[in-house]
Amino acid sequence: MNQPCRVGCLLLMLGPISYFAATQARPFPGPDVKQIYDRLLPQIEKIPAFDHHAHPGYADDPDIDAMAAPPDASLPLRTRDDNPELVDAAKALFGYPYTDFSPEHAKWLIDKKAELRKQHPGAAYFDSILDKLNLETSVANRAMMADYLDPKRFLWVFFADSFMWPFNNEHETARNPDEGVFIPLQEKMLHRWMQQENIPKLPVKFSDYLEFIVRVLADNQKKGAIAMKFEVAYFRPTTFSDPPRTQAEDIYQRYVSGAVPSEQEYRIFQDYIFRFLVGLGGRLHLPVHIHSAVGIGDYFNLSQSNIMNLESVLRDPRYHSTTFVMIHGGYPLEREAIWLAAMKNVYLDSSFGELVQYPSAFKQTLKMWLETFPDKITFGTDCFPYNQVLGAEESYWLGVQSSRTALAAALAEMVSEGEITESRALELAHGYLHDTAAKLYEGRMH
Ligand SMILES: [Zn+2]
């Protein structure tokens, strides 16, 4: 039996399932698409969402990320702090009465936020922001958690990259100006983990180094962490070889006391540690989040960090018990990326896609994903403070609004084109905005 026939027979066997529309799908939406959108959007706005990737916190908080924006980085149009949509954000969240952010107008917003922080002291302020946005829960992907974020609403995802940079990093730091910013921050992060575990200096033995890594992960989990995150694409290519432990051990012993490894030796060591961490994620039930899109900084190398480089790791049966979340869904390679979600343990997060693209373009991404593996995609904002005036609050708002409107539009087209029913559209909306992500951490949330 050839393949198309088998697929056809299978469809016949399935028969009329309620969430498929009754007729063959059409290539264009009908004139009803706007009405369907208008019906879906208010219902989608009522779904309490789970933000699967975000950096909540105040602009002056250095723990918002384990790295920092490189100086003078080129920012794509919509992510700039002069995006006029941010006026709408300030209006919706704080009743901002102006149409620009001139210094005297911006002062109104700074004062207003200060007043609200007094009214909602401690963790209540950011809880109130989540409430305004109908976000039930948000990941806090941060270097360390902040005491002003409510651990019941904000779930910590820590950074695991720094374990890959324990040696003398003078070559790594000198590669370009961006690495000059990033790598010292990785060294700082590693030292913070050492302090956490009361280790004054790196162990001489490789087995003790691996034991130290296990302890950090387990302790972070005890402190409430729900996942580990890699932003390794910022620091090196994401092609990972599969060296034996003896090779990594030999490199560790030769360089742990301060000599400078060659680039090749460093990469081999890192390849081993990366795979060790990925394996640990399975053993400890700690999902692995991986930055999989372009990144900030003019030296970010997209071809060397292409999401498809990770295919050999994601499809490796040794890691079948590790849950992978591909943060930013491989953007701008999201079309290829969705096929990685064929793996039962691989999920795609759409964050950043909805901030860098306008809803008309982001809608296409969501539609294509919803038509392929709808049960493997999750919502996130990637919110991040813009500056001292415009904070994570406005960024959250833009991410939430863009995602909900693009989702409603994508689903409205699918309904109008005869692909799915309206009730199925709402099921898909619940899955994407909340249920699929929440399920990954069931029993591990507070
Ligand atoms: Zn992020």
Side-chain angles (χ1 to χ4, degrees):
M1 202 185 284
N2 65 24
Q3 196 60 25
C5 177
R6 207 181 300 163
V7 172
C9 296
L10 187 64
L11 287 175
L12 282 175
M13 277 161 56
L14 286 171
I17 292 177
S18 63
Y19 50 72
F20 286 122
T23 54
Q24 197 206 325
R26 296 184 296 266
F28 298 109
D32 58 350
V33 66
K34 179 66 172 50
Q35 286 148 315
I36 299 170
Y37 173 83
D38 289 340
R39 279 199 299 273
L40 287 177
L41 183 59
Q43 299 181 77
I44 283 173
E45 282 171 340
K46 283 196 199 99
I47 300 172
F50 184 110
D51 186 338
H52 206 175
H53 182 73
H55 305 272
Y58 297 117
D60 57 2
D61 178 348
D63 281 346
I64 279 179
D65 201 331
M67 53 171 250
D72 200 28
S74 308
L75 290 175
L77 179 68
R78 197 179 183 223
T79 66
R80 297 175 195 168
D81 63 5
D82 62 357
N83 178 357
E85 293 170 287
L86 296 172
V87 172
D88 291 341
K91 263 194 213 321
L93 288 170
F94 305 110
Y96 187 63
Y98 304 107
T99 52
D100 62 56
F101 291 111
S102 67
E104 59 278 19
H105 293 164
K107 189 179 174 306
W108 183 98
L109 190 55
I110 293 167
D111 292 346
K112 181 73 181 177
K113 288 181 186 175
E115 184 192 315
L116 287 171
R117 278 162 74 165
K118 265 196 210 129
Q119 274 173 29
H120 303 279
Y125 176 76
F126 268 98
D127 277 359
S128 76
I129 300 297
L130 293 194
D131 291 341
K132 282 184 192 182
L133 296 164
N134 198 18
L135 288 175
E136 173 207 84
T137 310
S138 175
V139 157
N141 182 203
R142 299 172 43 97
M144 296 284 175
M145 265 307 260
D147 57 7
Y148 61 82
L149 294 175
D150 174 1
K152 288 195 186 68
R153 306 282 298 273
F154 292 90
L155 308 175
W156 186 35
V157 173
F158 64 91
F159 291 91
D161 306 276
S162 63
F163 301 115
M164 291 188 271
W165 274 269
F167 305 138
N168 184 323
N169 290 309
E170 62 181 53
H171 286 171
E172 302 280 299
T173 306
R175 200 171 319 119
N176 62 51
D178 289 4
E179 298 308 325
V181 173
F182 299 152
I183 299 296
L185 290 169
Q186 292 308 307
E187 293 173 338
K188 186 178 156 199
M189 196 70 242
L190 183 62
H191 278 104
R192 290 177 82 174
W193 299 137
M194 289 163 67
Q195 278 167 359
Q196 174 174 305
E197 303 302 328
N198 292 316
I199 290 180
K201 65 194 271 291
L202 287 172
V204 178
K205 278 171 63 186
F206 185 54
S207 55
D208 291 342
Y209 184 65
L210 297 181
E211 189 47 43
F212 154 67
I213 295 176
V214 176
R215 284 218 313 274
V216 173
L217 266 55
D219 285 345
N220 287 351
Q221 209 168 12
K222 275 187 218 134
K223 289 198 281 180
I226 57 151
M228 68 176 112
K229 158 90 182 292
F230 290 99
E231 46 192 357
V232 59
Y234 280 100
F235 319 130
R236 53 154 281 175
T238 53
T239 312
F240 293 99
S241 69
D242 194 5
R245 177 184 165 131
T246 48
Q247 203 179 355
E249 183 163 22
D250 175 59
I251 295 167
Y252 183 83
Q253 275 158 1
R254 275 189 290 136
Y255 296 106
V256 68
S257 47
V260 184
S262 71
E263 182 166 327
Q264 201 200 359
E265 287 168 319
Y266 218 149
R267 294 288 170 265
I268 289 168
F269 174 80
Q270 291 169 342
D271 293 350
Y272 181 85
I273 297 293
F274 179 76
R275 286 173 180 274
F276 176 74
L277 285 160
V278 162
L280 264 184
R283 271 209 277 144
L284 298 175
H285 302 293
L286 201 56
V288 171
H289 291 197
I290 307 178
H291 174 103
S292 65
V294 288
I296 47 165
D298 297 355
Y299 292 93
F300 188 95
N301 190 317
L302 181 55
S303 58
Q304 289 185 357
S305 60
N306 179 337
I307 186 171
M308 301 316 283
N309 291 348
L310 291 163
E311 189 161 22
S312 61
V313 174
L314 301 180
R315 295 201 203 270
D316 189 327
R318 286 174 297 172
Y319 310 131
H320 76 275
S321 58
T322 300
T323 297
F324 293 98
V325 182
M326 306 312 287
I327 301 295
H328 317 315
Y331 179 82
L333 303 166
E334 69 272 23
R335 198 176 178 85
E336 289 93 328
I338 188 64
W339 290 96
L340 297 169
M343 288 297 290
K344 309 282 183 291
N345 54 330
V346 176
Y347 294 78
L348 296 193
D349 148 78
S350 65
S351 70
F352 179 65
E354 94 295 357
L355 289 179
V356 70
Q357 299 177 97
Y358 286 90
S360 60
F362 183 58
K363 172 192 75 177
Q364 304 294 347
T365 299
L366 281 185
K367 191 178 176 204
M368 189 250 303
W369 283 6
L370 288 162
E371 289 171 341
T372 315
F373 291 110
D375 44 351
K376 303 299 291 296
I377 63 173
T378 68
F379 153 79
T381 60
D382 200 22
C383 81
F384 206 99
Y386 288 86
N387 53 43
Q388 297 295 333
V389 179
L390 295 163
E393 302 95 317
E394 286 84 1
S395 184
Y396 260 134
W397 183 89
L398 191 62
V400 167
Q401 292 303 115
S402 300
S403 297
R404 290 190 196 266
T405 50
L407 177 65
L411 291 169
E413 286 187 9
M414 290 167 71
V415 173
S416 181
E417 287 162 6
E419 297 175 15
I420 53 169
T421 62
E422 237 169 288
S423 63
R424 176 59 176 160
L426 285 170
E427 279 175 34
L428 293 178
H430 276 273
Y432 165 70
L433 285 174
H434 181 276
D435 299 352
T436 302
K439 229 176 168 169
L440 296 180
Y441 311 101
E442 244 167 27
R444 271 169 276 161
M445 295 190 267
H446 296 270

